Structures are given as C-alpha cells and as structure tokens.
Short mmCIF file of all heavy atoms in Angstrom, two decimals:
data_model
loop_
_atom_site.label_atom_id
_atom_site.label_comp_id
_atom_site.label_asym_id
_atom_site.label_seq_id
_atom_site.Cartn_x
_atom_site.Cartn_y
_atom_site.Cartn_z
N LYS A 1 -5.65 -2.53 -7.12
CA LYS A 1 -6.13 -3.54 -6.18
C LYS A 1 -4.93 -4.37 -5.76
O LYS A 1 -4.03 -4.74 -6.49
CB LYS A 1 -7.13 -4.49 -6.95
CG LYS A 1 -7.82 -5.52 -6.07
CD LYS A 1 -8.72 -6.35 -6.85
CE LYS A 1 -10.13 -5.75 -6.89
NZ LYS A 1 -11.07 -6.67 -7.47
N VAL A 2 -4.88 -4.73 -4.48
CA VAL A 2 -3.84 -5.51 -3.84
C VAL A 2 -4.01 -6.95 -4.23
O VAL A 2 -5.10 -7.54 -4.00
CB VAL A 2 -3.84 -5.37 -2.28
CG1 VAL A 2 -2.80 -6.22 -1.66
CG2 VAL A 2 -3.67 -3.88 -1.93
N ASN A 3 -2.96 -7.54 -4.91
CA ASN A 3 -3.08 -8.88 -5.35
C ASN A 3 -2.58 -9.88 -4.32
O ASN A 3 -2.99 -11.04 -4.31
CB ASN A 3 -2.30 -9.04 -6.67
CG ASN A 3 -2.88 -8.36 -7.80
OD1 ASN A 3 -4.09 -8.28 -7.88
ND2 ASN A 3 -2.05 -7.73 -8.63
N SER A 4 -1.57 -9.45 -3.53
CA SER A 4 -1.10 -10.38 -2.53
C SER A 4 -0.44 -9.57 -1.38
O SER A 4 -0.03 -8.42 -1.61
CB SER A 4 0.00 -11.32 -3.09
OG SER A 4 1.07 -10.62 -3.51
N VAL A 5 -0.44 -10.11 -0.16
CA VAL A 5 0.14 -9.54 1.02
C VAL A 5 0.94 -10.69 1.66
O VAL A 5 0.39 -11.73 1.97
CB VAL A 5 -0.90 -8.93 1.96
CG1 VAL A 5 -0.20 -8.36 3.21
CG2 VAL A 5 -1.77 -7.92 1.32
N THR A 6 2.23 -10.45 1.93
CA THR A 6 3.06 -11.41 2.54
C THR A 6 2.68 -11.59 3.99
O THR A 6 2.72 -10.52 4.71
CB THR A 6 4.55 -11.10 2.38
OG1 THR A 6 4.91 -10.92 1.01
CG2 THR A 6 5.46 -12.09 3.05
N PRO A 7 2.33 -12.77 4.46
CA PRO A 7 2.03 -12.95 5.87
C PRO A 7 3.17 -12.54 6.75
O PRO A 7 4.32 -12.81 6.47
CB PRO A 7 1.76 -14.47 5.94
CG PRO A 7 1.38 -14.84 4.59
CD PRO A 7 2.21 -14.01 3.67
N GLY A 8 2.81 -11.79 7.83
CA GLY A 8 3.88 -11.35 8.75
C GLY A 8 4.55 -10.09 8.34
O GLY A 8 5.38 -9.57 9.11
N SER A 9 4.32 -9.65 7.14
CA SER A 9 4.99 -8.40 6.68
C SER A 9 4.45 -7.16 7.35
O SER A 9 3.34 -7.23 7.95
CB SER A 9 4.74 -8.24 5.10
OG SER A 9 3.46 -7.97 4.86
N PRO A 10 5.11 -6.03 7.31
CA PRO A 10 4.65 -4.85 7.93
C PRO A 10 3.21 -4.47 7.34
O PRO A 10 2.34 -4.01 8.10
CB PRO A 10 5.65 -3.76 7.60
CG PRO A 10 6.93 -4.56 7.50
CD PRO A 10 6.56 -5.87 6.82
N ALA A 11 3.05 -4.67 6.06
CA ALA A 11 1.79 -4.27 5.45
C ALA A 11 0.62 -5.16 6.00
O ALA A 11 -0.41 -4.62 6.31
CB ALA A 11 1.85 -4.43 3.89
N ALA A 12 0.93 -6.44 6.13
CA ALA A 12 -0.08 -7.39 6.73
C ALA A 12 -0.39 -7.03 8.13
O ALA A 12 -1.59 -6.96 8.59
CB ALA A 12 0.41 -8.83 6.60
N THR A 13 0.58 -6.74 8.90
CA THR A 13 0.45 -6.33 10.31
C THR A 13 -0.30 -5.07 10.49
O THR A 13 -1.13 -4.90 11.42
CB THR A 13 1.87 -6.25 11.03
OG1 THR A 13 2.52 -7.53 10.84
CG2 THR A 13 1.76 -5.93 12.49
N ALA A 14 -0.16 -4.14 9.51
CA ALA A 14 -0.90 -2.87 9.55
C ALA A 14 -2.34 -3.03 9.12
O ALA A 14 -3.14 -2.11 9.36
CB ALA A 14 -0.17 -1.83 8.67
N GLY A 15 -2.68 -4.13 8.50
CA GLY A 15 -4.08 -4.42 8.04
C GLY A 15 -4.34 -4.35 6.64
O GLY A 15 -5.51 -4.43 6.20
N LEU A 16 -3.31 -4.30 5.76
CA LEU A 16 -3.56 -4.32 4.33
C LEU A 16 -3.97 -5.77 3.93
O LEU A 16 -3.42 -6.76 4.44
CB LEU A 16 -2.26 -3.94 3.58
CG LEU A 16 -2.44 -3.69 2.07
CD1 LEU A 16 -3.27 -2.50 1.84
CD2 LEU A 16 -1.04 -3.50 1.45
N ALA A 17 -4.93 -5.87 3.07
CA ALA A 17 -5.49 -7.27 2.74
C ALA A 17 -5.62 -7.34 1.22
O ALA A 17 -5.78 -6.40 0.50
CB ALA A 17 -6.80 -7.44 3.43
N VAL A 18 -5.66 -8.60 0.78
CA VAL A 18 -5.85 -8.90 -0.67
C VAL A 18 -7.20 -8.32 -1.01
O VAL A 18 -8.23 -8.51 -0.32
CB VAL A 18 -5.82 -10.46 -0.90
CG1 VAL A 18 -6.25 -10.80 -2.29
CG2 VAL A 18 -4.39 -10.91 -0.62
N GLY A 19 -7.28 -7.67 -2.16
CA GLY A 19 -8.51 -7.06 -2.61
C GLY A 19 -8.72 -5.63 -2.24
O GLY A 19 -9.52 -4.90 -2.82
N ASP A 20 -7.95 -5.18 -1.26
CA ASP A 20 -8.03 -3.77 -0.88
C ASP A 20 -7.60 -2.89 -2.18
O ASP A 20 -6.81 -3.33 -2.94
CB ASP A 20 -7.05 -3.40 0.29
CG ASP A 20 -7.63 -3.92 1.59
OD1 ASP A 20 -8.74 -4.38 1.72
OD2 ASP A 20 -6.84 -3.78 2.54
N VAL A 21 -8.16 -1.66 -2.21
CA VAL A 21 -7.77 -0.84 -3.30
C VAL A 21 -7.01 0.39 -2.66
O VAL A 21 -7.52 1.12 -1.81
CB VAL A 21 -9.02 -0.28 -4.05
CG1 VAL A 21 -8.59 0.71 -5.14
CG2 VAL A 21 -9.72 -1.45 -4.69
N ILE A 22 -5.81 0.59 -3.13
CA ILE A 22 -4.94 1.68 -2.60
C ILE A 22 -5.36 2.92 -3.33
O ILE A 22 -5.26 3.01 -4.56
CB ILE A 22 -3.48 1.35 -2.76
CG1 ILE A 22 -3.08 0.07 -2.02
CG2 ILE A 22 -2.64 2.52 -2.33
CD1 ILE A 22 -1.65 -0.41 -2.22
N LYS A 23 -5.81 3.91 -2.57
CA LYS A 23 -6.25 5.20 -3.14
C LYS A 23 -5.15 6.24 -3.16
O LYS A 23 -5.00 7.02 -4.07
CB LYS A 23 -7.47 5.71 -2.34
CG LYS A 23 -8.63 4.81 -2.31
CD LYS A 23 -9.28 4.82 -3.67
CE LYS A 23 -10.65 4.20 -3.62
NZ LYS A 23 -11.37 4.43 -4.87
N THR A 24 -4.34 6.30 -2.05
CA THR A 24 -3.25 7.24 -1.99
C THR A 24 -2.04 6.64 -1.33
O THR A 24 -2.21 5.59 -0.50
CB THR A 24 -3.56 8.53 -1.19
OG1 THR A 24 -3.69 8.25 0.18
CG2 THR A 24 -4.76 9.22 -1.65
N ILE A 25 -0.86 7.08 -1.72
CA ILE A 25 0.41 6.67 -1.06
C ILE A 25 1.05 8.02 -0.65
O ILE A 25 1.38 8.89 -1.42
CB ILE A 25 1.32 5.96 -2.03
CG1 ILE A 25 0.66 4.73 -2.53
CG2 ILE A 25 2.66 5.57 -1.35
CD1 ILE A 25 1.43 3.97 -3.60
N ASN A 26 1.25 8.11 0.69
CA ASN A 26 1.87 9.34 1.23
C ASN A 26 1.14 10.55 0.71
O ASN A 26 1.82 11.58 0.43
CB ASN A 26 3.37 9.41 0.98
CG ASN A 26 4.14 8.26 1.72
OD1 ASN A 26 3.60 7.75 2.70
ND2 ASN A 26 5.28 7.96 1.29
N GLY A 27 -0.18 10.57 0.59
CA GLY A 27 -0.96 11.68 0.21
C GLY A 27 -1.13 11.88 -1.29
O GLY A 27 -1.77 12.85 -1.72
N VAL A 28 -0.45 11.09 -2.12
CA VAL A 28 -0.52 11.22 -3.53
C VAL A 28 -1.46 10.16 -4.12
O VAL A 28 -1.34 9.00 -3.87
CB VAL A 28 0.86 11.09 -4.23
CG1 VAL A 28 0.84 11.23 -5.69
CG2 VAL A 28 1.85 12.08 -3.62
N ALA A 29 -2.45 10.63 -4.92
CA ALA A 29 -3.48 9.76 -5.50
C ALA A 29 -2.86 8.74 -6.43
O ALA A 29 -1.90 9.08 -7.23
CB ALA A 29 -4.52 10.51 -6.27
N VAL A 30 -3.23 7.45 -6.27
CA VAL A 30 -2.79 6.40 -7.17
C VAL A 30 -3.88 6.26 -8.24
O VAL A 30 -4.98 5.90 -8.00
CB VAL A 30 -2.63 5.06 -6.43
CG1 VAL A 30 -2.31 3.93 -7.36
CG2 VAL A 30 -1.62 5.25 -5.34
N GLU A 31 -3.45 6.56 -9.46
CA GLU A 31 -4.35 6.43 -10.66
C GLU A 31 -3.64 5.66 -11.76
O GLU A 31 -2.44 5.46 -11.65
CB GLU A 31 -4.65 7.89 -11.15
CG GLU A 31 -5.33 8.71 -10.12
CD GLU A 31 -5.49 10.14 -10.55
OE1 GLU A 31 -5.24 10.43 -11.76
OE2 GLU A 31 -5.95 11.03 -9.75
N PRO A 32 -4.35 5.13 -12.71
CA PRO A 32 -3.74 4.36 -13.74
C PRO A 32 -2.49 5.04 -14.36
O PRO A 32 -1.56 4.43 -14.67
CB PRO A 32 -4.85 4.14 -14.80
CG PRO A 32 -6.10 4.17 -13.94
CD PRO A 32 -5.84 5.19 -12.86
N LYS A 33 -2.58 6.35 -14.50
CA LYS A 33 -1.46 7.06 -15.19
C LYS A 33 -0.23 7.22 -14.34
O LYS A 33 0.86 7.52 -14.82
CB LYS A 33 -1.93 8.44 -15.63
CG LYS A 33 -2.35 9.37 -14.54
CD LYS A 33 -2.85 10.66 -14.96
CE LYS A 33 -3.28 11.55 -13.86
NZ LYS A 33 -3.87 12.75 -14.21
N ASN A 34 -0.35 6.97 -12.96
CA ASN A 34 0.80 7.08 -12.14
C ASN A 34 1.09 5.79 -11.36
O ASN A 34 1.49 5.83 -10.19
CB ASN A 34 0.76 8.34 -11.25
CG ASN A 34 -0.29 8.28 -10.18
OD1 ASN A 34 -1.13 7.30 -10.10
ND2 ASN A 34 -0.40 9.29 -9.36
N ARG A 35 0.87 4.65 -11.92
CA ARG A 35 1.13 3.42 -11.31
C ARG A 35 2.61 3.25 -10.91
O ARG A 35 3.01 2.51 -10.02
CB ARG A 35 0.78 2.22 -12.20
CG ARG A 35 -0.68 2.14 -12.54
CD ARG A 35 -1.39 1.30 -11.53
NE ARG A 35 -2.81 1.26 -11.96
CZ ARG A 35 -3.76 0.77 -11.21
NH1 ARG A 35 -3.40 0.18 -10.08
NH2 ARG A 35 -4.97 0.79 -11.56
N ALA A 36 3.44 4.08 -11.60
CA ALA A 36 4.92 4.10 -11.25
C ALA A 36 5.11 4.57 -9.85
O ALA A 36 6.05 4.14 -9.18
CB ALA A 36 5.68 5.01 -12.23
N LEU A 37 4.20 5.34 -9.35
CA LEU A 37 4.26 5.79 -7.95
C LEU A 37 4.16 4.62 -6.99
O LEU A 37 4.98 4.52 -6.05
CB LEU A 37 3.15 6.73 -7.64
CG LEU A 37 2.87 7.15 -6.15
CD1 LEU A 37 4.03 8.02 -5.63
CD2 LEU A 37 1.54 7.81 -6.02
N LEU A 38 3.32 3.65 -7.28
CA LEU A 38 3.17 2.50 -6.43
C LEU A 38 4.44 1.64 -6.47
O LEU A 38 4.98 1.26 -5.43
CB LEU A 38 2.01 1.66 -6.88
CG LEU A 38 1.73 0.38 -6.08
CD1 LEU A 38 1.50 0.62 -4.66
CD2 LEU A 38 0.52 -0.38 -6.72
N ARG A 39 4.98 1.45 -7.62
CA ARG A 39 6.21 0.67 -7.85
C ARG A 39 7.37 1.33 -7.07
O ARG A 39 8.17 0.73 -6.35
CB ARG A 39 6.48 0.49 -9.31
CG ARG A 39 7.64 -0.43 -9.57
CD ARG A 39 7.87 -0.76 -11.05
NE ARG A 39 7.29 0.18 -12.03
CZ ARG A 39 6.07 -0.05 -12.62
NH1 ARG A 39 5.36 -1.09 -12.40
NH2 ARG A 39 5.62 0.83 -13.49
N ALA A 40 7.48 2.67 -7.24
CA ALA A 40 8.56 3.37 -6.60
C ALA A 40 8.42 3.36 -5.06
O ALA A 40 9.43 3.23 -4.35
CB ALA A 40 8.58 4.86 -7.09
N ALA A 41 7.24 3.47 -4.57
CA ALA A 41 6.98 3.40 -3.15
C ALA A 41 7.37 2.11 -2.54
O ALA A 41 8.07 2.03 -1.52
CB ALA A 41 5.50 3.72 -2.84
N LEU A 42 7.07 0.95 -3.26
CA LEU A 42 7.39 -0.36 -2.77
C LEU A 42 8.87 -0.73 -2.93
O LEU A 42 9.37 -1.68 -2.29
CB LEU A 42 6.53 -1.38 -3.45
CG LEU A 42 5.09 -1.25 -3.12
CD1 LEU A 42 4.22 -2.23 -3.88
CD2 LEU A 42 4.82 -1.34 -1.64
N GLU A 43 9.54 0.04 -3.78
CA GLU A 43 11.04 -0.25 -3.95
C GLU A 43 11.91 0.63 -3.03
O GLU A 43 13.14 0.59 -3.22
CB GLU A 43 11.37 -0.02 -5.42
CG GLU A 43 10.73 -1.09 -6.32
CD GLU A 43 10.99 -0.84 -7.81
OE1 GLU A 43 11.45 0.25 -8.21
OE2 GLU A 43 10.61 -1.75 -8.63
N GLN A 44 11.33 1.37 -2.17
CA GLN A 44 12.13 2.18 -1.23
C GLN A 44 12.86 1.29 -0.27
O GLN A 44 12.50 0.09 -0.11
CB GLN A 44 11.24 3.10 -0.44
CG GLN A 44 10.61 4.16 -1.26
CD GLN A 44 9.83 5.14 -0.33
OE1 GLN A 44 10.39 5.75 0.54
NE2 GLN A 44 8.55 5.27 -0.69
N PRO A 45 13.95 1.71 0.28
CA PRO A 45 14.77 0.92 1.13
C PRO A 45 14.05 0.61 2.48
O PRO A 45 13.12 1.35 2.85
CB PRO A 45 16.03 1.76 1.37
CG PRO A 45 15.62 3.12 1.18
CD PRO A 45 14.54 3.12 0.11
N ALA A 46 14.50 -0.45 3.12
CA ALA A 46 13.99 -0.74 4.45
C ALA A 46 14.17 0.47 5.33
O ALA A 46 15.16 1.18 5.26
CB ALA A 46 14.72 -1.93 5.01
N GLY A 47 13.09 0.69 6.16
CA GLY A 47 13.13 1.83 7.03
C GLY A 47 12.26 2.98 6.55
O GLY A 47 11.89 3.89 7.33
N ALA A 48 11.88 2.98 5.27
CA ALA A 48 11.02 3.98 4.73
C ALA A 48 9.58 3.81 5.26
O ALA A 48 9.11 2.69 5.30
CB ALA A 48 11.02 3.99 3.20
N ALA A 49 8.94 4.89 5.59
CA ALA A 49 7.59 4.81 6.11
C ALA A 49 6.60 5.12 4.97
O ALA A 49 6.86 6.00 4.15
CB ALA A 49 7.37 5.82 7.25
N LEU A 50 5.54 4.31 4.93
CA LEU A 50 4.49 4.53 3.94
C LEU A 50 3.17 4.75 4.70
O LEU A 50 2.84 4.04 5.62
CB LEU A 50 4.29 3.41 3.01
CG LEU A 50 5.46 3.06 2.03
CD1 LEU A 50 5.15 1.82 1.17
CD2 LEU A 50 5.78 4.23 1.18
N THR A 51 2.39 5.70 4.20
CA THR A 51 1.04 5.89 4.70
C THR A 51 0.08 5.71 3.47
O THR A 51 0.27 6.42 2.49
CB THR A 51 0.82 7.29 5.26
OG1 THR A 51 1.72 7.40 6.42
CG2 THR A 51 -0.58 7.51 5.77
N LEU A 52 -0.79 4.80 3.59
CA LEU A 52 -1.75 4.44 2.48
C LEU A 52 -3.16 4.74 2.99
O LEU A 52 -3.57 4.46 4.04
CB LEU A 52 -1.70 2.97 2.13
CG LEU A 52 -0.32 2.37 1.88
CD1 LEU A 52 -0.47 0.83 1.63
CD2 LEU A 52 0.38 3.05 0.76
N THR A 53 -3.93 5.33 2.00
CA THR A 53 -5.39 5.41 2.24
C THR A 53 -5.93 4.22 1.30
O THR A 53 -5.62 4.12 0.15
CB THR A 53 -5.93 6.73 1.68
OG1 THR A 53 -5.34 7.75 2.43
CG2 THR A 53 -7.46 6.80 1.92
N VAL A 54 -6.76 3.40 1.93
CA VAL A 54 -7.19 2.17 1.34
C VAL A 54 -8.62 2.00 1.38
O VAL A 54 -9.30 2.30 2.43
CB VAL A 54 -6.51 1.00 2.08
CG1 VAL A 54 -6.95 -0.36 1.48
CG2 VAL A 54 -5.04 1.09 2.02
N GLN A 55 -9.31 1.58 0.32
CA GLN A 55 -10.74 1.12 0.33
C GLN A 55 -10.71 -0.35 0.56
O GLN A 55 -10.20 -1.10 -0.26
CB GLN A 55 -11.35 1.46 -1.05
CG GLN A 55 -12.76 1.02 -1.13
CD GLN A 55 -13.67 1.77 -0.18
OE1 GLN A 55 -13.66 3.00 -0.11
NE2 GLN A 55 -14.39 1.08 0.67
N PRO A 56 -11.21 -0.76 1.69
CA PRO A 56 -11.18 -2.26 2.09
C PRO A 56 -11.96 -3.03 1.06
O PRO A 56 -13.06 -2.62 0.56
CB PRO A 56 -11.88 -2.24 3.44
CG PRO A 56 -11.73 -0.86 3.98
CD PRO A 56 -11.79 0.07 2.86
N ALA A 57 -11.48 -4.22 0.80
CA ALA A 57 -12.14 -5.16 -0.12
C ALA A 57 -13.52 -5.51 0.38
O ALA A 57 -14.43 -5.82 -0.40
CB ALA A 57 -11.27 -6.39 -0.28
N THR A 58 -13.71 -5.44 1.70
CA THR A 58 -14.97 -5.85 2.33
C THR A 58 -15.94 -4.73 2.27
O THR A 58 -17.09 -4.86 2.76
CB THR A 58 -14.68 -6.24 3.78
OG1 THR A 58 -14.08 -5.12 4.46
CG2 THR A 58 -13.88 -7.49 3.89
N GLY A 59 -15.54 -3.61 1.72
CA GLY A 59 -16.48 -2.43 1.66
C GLY A 59 -16.31 -1.53 2.89
O GLY A 59 -15.34 -1.70 3.71
N GLY A 60 -17.23 -0.63 3.00
CA GLY A 60 -17.15 0.20 4.26
C GLY A 60 -16.26 1.46 3.96
O GLY A 60 -15.93 1.76 2.85
N THR A 61 -15.91 2.07 5.01
CA THR A 61 -15.13 3.30 4.99
C THR A 61 -13.69 3.14 4.63
O THR A 61 -13.07 2.21 5.12
CB THR A 61 -15.29 4.01 6.40
OG1 THR A 61 -16.62 4.04 6.77
CG2 THR A 61 -14.72 5.42 6.37
N GLU A 62 -13.12 4.10 3.89
CA GLU A 62 -11.74 4.07 3.60
C GLU A 62 -10.99 4.14 4.91
O GLU A 62 -11.48 4.74 5.89
CB GLU A 62 -11.32 5.26 2.79
CG GLU A 62 -11.75 5.17 1.31
CD GLU A 62 -11.28 6.37 0.48
OE1 GLU A 62 -10.64 7.30 1.01
OE2 GLU A 62 -11.50 6.30 -0.71
N LYS A 63 -9.78 3.53 4.95
CA LYS A 63 -9.00 3.51 6.15
C LYS A 63 -7.58 3.98 5.77
O LYS A 63 -7.14 3.88 4.63
CB LYS A 63 -8.94 2.16 6.82
CG LYS A 63 -8.39 1.05 5.98
CD LYS A 63 -8.42 -0.27 6.66
CE LYS A 63 -7.87 -1.40 5.76
NZ LYS A 63 -7.91 -2.70 6.43
N THR A 64 -6.90 4.57 6.75
CA THR A 64 -5.46 4.95 6.62
C THR A 64 -4.63 4.00 7.37
O THR A 64 -4.93 3.68 8.56
CB THR A 64 -5.33 6.37 7.05
OG1 THR A 64 -6.12 7.20 6.35
CG2 THR A 64 -3.90 6.84 6.91
N ILE A 65 -3.57 3.47 6.72
CA ILE A 65 -2.63 2.57 7.42
C ILE A 65 -1.26 3.09 7.19
O ILE A 65 -0.96 3.65 6.15
CB ILE A 65 -2.77 1.09 6.98
CG1 ILE A 65 -2.52 0.91 5.50
CG2 ILE A 65 -4.14 0.55 7.32
CD1 ILE A 65 -2.42 -0.48 5.05
N THR A 66 -0.44 2.99 8.16
CA THR A 66 0.96 3.38 8.15
C THR A 66 1.86 2.24 8.58
O THR A 66 1.57 1.60 9.54
CB THR A 66 1.18 4.65 9.05
OG1 THR A 66 0.35 5.72 8.64
CG2 THR A 66 2.65 5.13 8.96
N PHE A 67 2.90 2.03 7.84
CA PHE A 67 3.89 1.02 8.22
C PHE A 67 5.24 1.36 7.66
O PHE A 67 5.40 2.23 6.86
CB PHE A 67 3.42 -0.40 7.69
CG PHE A 67 3.23 -0.51 6.19
CD1 PHE A 67 4.27 -0.89 5.38
CD2 PHE A 67 1.98 -0.10 5.65
CE1 PHE A 67 4.10 -0.99 4.05
CE2 PHE A 67 1.86 -0.22 4.28
CZ PHE A 67 2.93 -0.64 3.49
N THR A 68 6.28 0.71 8.24
CA THR A 68 7.69 0.89 7.80
C THR A 68 8.12 -0.30 7.07
O THR A 68 7.92 -1.45 7.53
CB THR A 68 8.53 1.14 9.08
OG1 THR A 68 8.00 2.25 9.78
CG2 THR A 68 9.97 1.39 8.67
N LEU A 69 8.67 -0.07 5.91
CA LEU A 69 9.18 -1.15 5.10
C LEU A 69 10.36 -1.89 5.78
O LEU A 69 11.16 -1.20 6.43
CB LEU A 69 9.66 -0.62 3.70
CG LEU A 69 8.56 -0.03 2.82
CD1 LEU A 69 9.22 0.60 1.60
CD2 LEU A 69 7.51 -1.05 2.47
N THR A 70 10.47 -3.16 5.62
CA THR A 70 11.57 -3.96 6.13
C THR A 70 12.04 -4.89 5.07
O THR A 70 11.34 -5.18 4.04
CB THR A 70 11.14 -4.78 7.38
OG1 THR A 70 10.10 -5.68 6.96
CG2 THR A 70 10.67 -3.88 8.51
N ASP A 71 13.20 -5.48 5.28
CA ASP A 71 13.73 -6.51 4.42
C ASP A 71 13.11 -7.79 4.89
O ASP A 71 13.20 -8.13 6.04
CB ASP A 71 15.23 -6.60 4.50
CG ASP A 71 15.90 -5.45 3.82
OD1 ASP A 71 15.40 -4.94 2.78
OD2 ASP A 71 17.01 -4.99 4.31
N LEU A 72 12.46 -8.55 4.04
CA LEU A 72 11.83 -9.80 4.42
C LEU A 72 12.71 -11.00 4.19
O LEU A 72 12.37 -12.10 4.50
CB LEU A 72 10.50 -9.96 3.64
CG LEU A 72 9.46 -8.98 4.08
CD1 LEU A 72 8.23 -9.16 3.11
CD2 LEU A 72 9.03 -9.07 5.44
N ILE A 73 13.92 -10.78 3.65
CA ILE A 73 14.76 -11.92 3.36
C ILE A 73 15.66 -12.22 4.60
O ILE A 73 16.12 -11.36 5.25
CB ILE A 73 15.65 -11.61 2.11
CG1 ILE A 73 14.75 -11.40 0.94
CG2 ILE A 73 16.61 -12.72 1.87
CD1 ILE A 73 15.44 -10.92 -0.29
#
C-alpha cells in the first residue's frame, strides 16, 4: 500500500495516490516475500522508467501507470 506520494513528483503526476496498492512493477508481482523489488525499483537512478499496475484506493479497476524517475532535490 502506498503510504505517501510527493506532490509534483513523477509518480503523483502519473496518478499514483496514497492508499493505492502496487500489484506489479515492470511486470513483476509485488508480494510480501519480494518487497525488496519495490525498494530496488525506487532506488534506481533518475531517468529509469517504471511501469506499475495499481489497485486504486478508491476501488474499481486496476490501472497501469508509467513514469520516469527524477531527482527531487
């Protein structure tokens, strides 16, 4: 479950929201046993593209969002 999204970040602009549940990252399922995948994905350098399949916190159909990581500092 997404705990926070930085306003103005690529993830926020792409539509990721607090409470969304990330189901896949670049086609790989995110499960409790592979949480390291999520950490590794978010630690990639600026310019790396991520495609997430997300179950919206508001319910409804899963959605796919794609964004490119940037340095926010």
Side-chain angles (χ1 to χ4, degrees):
K1 187 183 268 191
V2 175
N3 293 323
S4 66
V5 179
T6 302
S9 69
T13 301
L16 192 65
V18 171
D20 286 352
V21 177
I22 299 172
K23 299 291 197 168
T24 69
I25 299 173
N26 293 341
V28 179
V30 175
E31 299 173 6
K33 64 183 177 183
N34 68 357
R35 297 269 179 187
L37 170 69
L38 179 58
R39 189 173 18 263
L42 295 176
E43 291 175 350
Q44 292 185 58
L50 294 180
T51 299
L52 309 178
T53 303
V54 178
Q55 178 64 53
T58 57
T61 308
E62 286 184 355
K63 61 183 178 179
T64 300
I65 61 173
T66 300
F67 58 93
T68 301
L69 296 174
T70 62
D71 288 325
L72 293 175
I73 300 173

